[in-house]
Amino acid sequence: MKLNILFITFVFIYSFSFSQEKNYNEIAQEIPAYATTLNGTLLKINSSKKTPLVILIPGSGPTDRDGNNAAMKNNSLKFLAEKLAENNIASYRFDKSVLSFSKEQLATVDTLKFESFIYDAKAVISYFKNSKKYSKIIVAGHSQGSLVGMIASANNADAFISLEGAGRAIDEVLIEQIGKQAPFLKEETVRVLDSLKKGVIVEDFNTMLVSVFNKSVQPFLISWIKYNPQEEIKKLKIPTLIINGSKDIQVQNMDAELLHKATPNSQLFIIEDMNHILKEIKGDLNENMSSYNNPELPIKAELTTIITTFINELK
């Protein structure tokens, strides 16, 4: 009897260990792009058949492939890639190009334009499309990456996913955000943005707005303002999935609804209790904010289910 128990225990442990083995390989992958070489991670499914590939485009700021930057570490995109891989969906996520710039390039960062990120995304799409190793190429852009991704996807990808992406031009979003946080600066914000929309650099403005309108950033804002997400998403003739979280404190559900209304090819999901970085939030604003620096907190499970279903239903 003792021998049988030991044997059964051994089989159980062996089976459990085997089931825990990853069904994918993690590969460092460099891709030549607009002004530099993009550094990223490919999660390749262990399968003899072609699988879909999701290209994950990060949000604003100097954000890396995992969804992190100097101000926050939450591993949101890393967790999403791993969950997709568990569902036999390959992915490629990459560091934004500014993270690869030399000190000399950073010294002239005012030359960076919004188009730079679009060119980088197109380079990644082309690289994997030309490889002919994947059954479908799906672009998923998070936050600012949503607009980048939808522009880059036109005539290039098989499907597009917007994750917490704005549905309005950045000038409208900034006016709204600053108007809520500092109403006394709203009129000044409108004045500066009106000038930037005309392509004119603003020399003098309230110093309290320097973090938003620093002169070195203004050329980038000028290039960004001219893109309206509702107009850009209309150009897509591919299946589109739009996702927003009910606990997103950066992008309103209204933005997702505006994107959905703009394109007849889209599906819209508002995920209850999910915030901007794809994490589940049950509590108050403090819990929401603290999640931005919690690299152990997993992403909302429903998100993976919705994305996986969408991809598996692609024809």
Side-chain angles (χ1 to χ4, degrees), residues 227-242:
Y227 293 103
N228 184 323
Q230 293 172 64
E231 295 301 319
E232 297 304 325
I233 204 167
K234 280 181 183 177
K235 300 174 185 178
L236 296 181
K237 308 301 179 186
I238 54 178
T240 299
L241 175 63
I242 300 164

Side-chain angles (χ1 to χ4, degrees), residues 14 18 30 34 39 65 72 79 95 97 110 113 117-118 132 134 140 154 157-158 172 203 220 225 236 238 245 261 299:
Y14 175 80
F18 182 80
E30 295 183 348
Y34 172 63
N39 299 301
R65 70 193 77 180
M72 64 180 187
F79 290 153
D95 301 337
S97 55
D110 59 318
K113 299 293 190 296
F117 299 139
I118 298 171
K132 302 184 185 302
Y134 299 93
D158 295 303
E172 291 185 54
E203 300 287 344
F220 181 79
I225 285 173
L236 296 181
I238 54 178
K261 187 177 179 181
I299 60 172

Side-chain angles (χ1 to χ4, degrees), residues 44-116:
K44 186 178 181 181
I45 308 302
N46 297 324
S47 173
S48 58
K49 297 180 180 180
K50 288 184 178 182
T51 62
L53 173 79
V54 174
I55 296 170
L56 295 167
I57 302 178
S60 58
T63 306
D64 69 15
R65 70 193 77 180
D66 294 334
N68 305 326
N69 58 45
M72 64 180 187
K73 184 175 182 180
N74 54 70
N75 287 330
S76 54
L77 298 184
K78 177 179 184 290
F79 290 153
L80 177 56
E82 291 171 348
K83 286 299 179 182
L84 290 175
E86 290 173 10
N87 286 275
N88 296 314
I89 298 171
S91 68
Y92 180 72
R93 63 189 196 275
F94 58 94
D95 301 337
K96 291 185 77 170
S97 55
V98 291
L99 295 177
S100 302
F101 284 2
S102 65
K103 290 183 178 179
E104 291 74 20
Q105 287 173 306
L106 287 172
T108 58
V109 74
D110 59 318
T111 61
L112 184 70
K113 299 293 190 296
F114 190 77
E115 287 81 7
S116 304

Side-chain angles (χ1 to χ4, degrees), residues 5 55 83-84 104 127 163 187 189 204 245 261 291 315:
I5 292 173
I55 296 170
K83 286 299 179 182
L84 290 175
E104 291 74 20
Y127 179 88
L163 298 170
E187 186 175 338
T189 301
D204 300 311
K261 187 177 179 181
S291 71
K315 296 179 180 179

